Amino acid sequence: MRTPGEAVVAEVNTFHPTAGDRASVCGRLDAERRDTESRIAALHGDFDAIVEANALVAVDDEHDPEGASTAFERAHVASLLARARDHLAEVDRALERLEQGDYGRCERCREPIPPGRLEVRPAATACVRCATGADR
């Protein structure tokens, strides 16, 4: 059973979305989605430019002093691209949860995710306690 102080803290940290809240969250998630799509397009351009530049010269990554840095650069951009794609999928899942009425609940413990966390990480799927592993 909660003490009166705990009940107040729990209520402040609970996300009960109104129609206006849902519209605001949807707007933030849509903006995040557009930004991520733009980042993906830019990274595709960077990756294609690296590949194209390397196609113009016969590069032997093993023996060419520039080959290692070229390979690193290509791998780095590929990694950033993969992370951006993963983030886009997270945003899409957050939009699905919002549509289903399950947005703002921790997928692990089912407790509400604090509004401040959702403000900073709108696609968050875990409360702070579960995200940090505090209950392990």
Side-chain angles (χ1 to χ4, degrees), residues 40-57 59 69-71 73-75 77-78 81:
I40 289 171
L43 288 167
H44 268 296
D46 291 348
F47 188 84
D48 291 346
I50 293 167
V51 170
E52 186 178 317
N54 286 332
L56 299 176
V57 291
V59 176
S69 62
T70 300
E73 193 175 341
R74 189 174 51 237
V77 171
L81 189 54

Side-chain angles (χ1 to χ4, degrees), residues 37-120:
E37 286 175 329
S38 294
R39 188 174 339 123
I40 289 171
L43 288 167
H44 268 296
D46 291 348
F47 188 84
D48 291 346
I50 293 167
V51 170
E52 186 178 317
N54 286 332
L56 299 176
V57 291
V59 176
D60 178 0
D61 283 359
E62 248 183 79
H63 300 99
D64 181 7
E66 294 296 317
S69 62
T70 300
F72 171 79
E73 193 175 341
R74 189 174 51 237
H76 180 72
V77 171
S79 175
L80 292 173
L81 189 54
R83 287 181 65 190
R85 286 182 182 136
D86 289 346
H87 183 67
L88 185 62
E90 290 171 0
V91 171
D92 286 342
R93 285 192 300 273
L95 284 164
E96 288 172 9
R97 288 192 308 277
L98 184 64
E99 182 71 26
Q100 296 166 353
D102 205 25
Y103 181 81
R105 288 244 170 241
C106 178
E107 290 182 347
R108 185 164 176 213
C109 70
R110 304 302 302 152
E111 290 294 316
I113 298 172
R117 179 165 171 76
L118 292 172
E119 184 70 34
V120 174

Side-chain angles (χ1 to χ4, degrees), residues 2-24:
R2 291 183 177 156
T3 66
E6 287 175 320
V8 170
V9 170
E11 189 61 34
V12 168
N13 288 328
T14 302
F15 182 65
H16 298 289
T18 63
D21 291 335
R22 281 190 293 279
S24 175

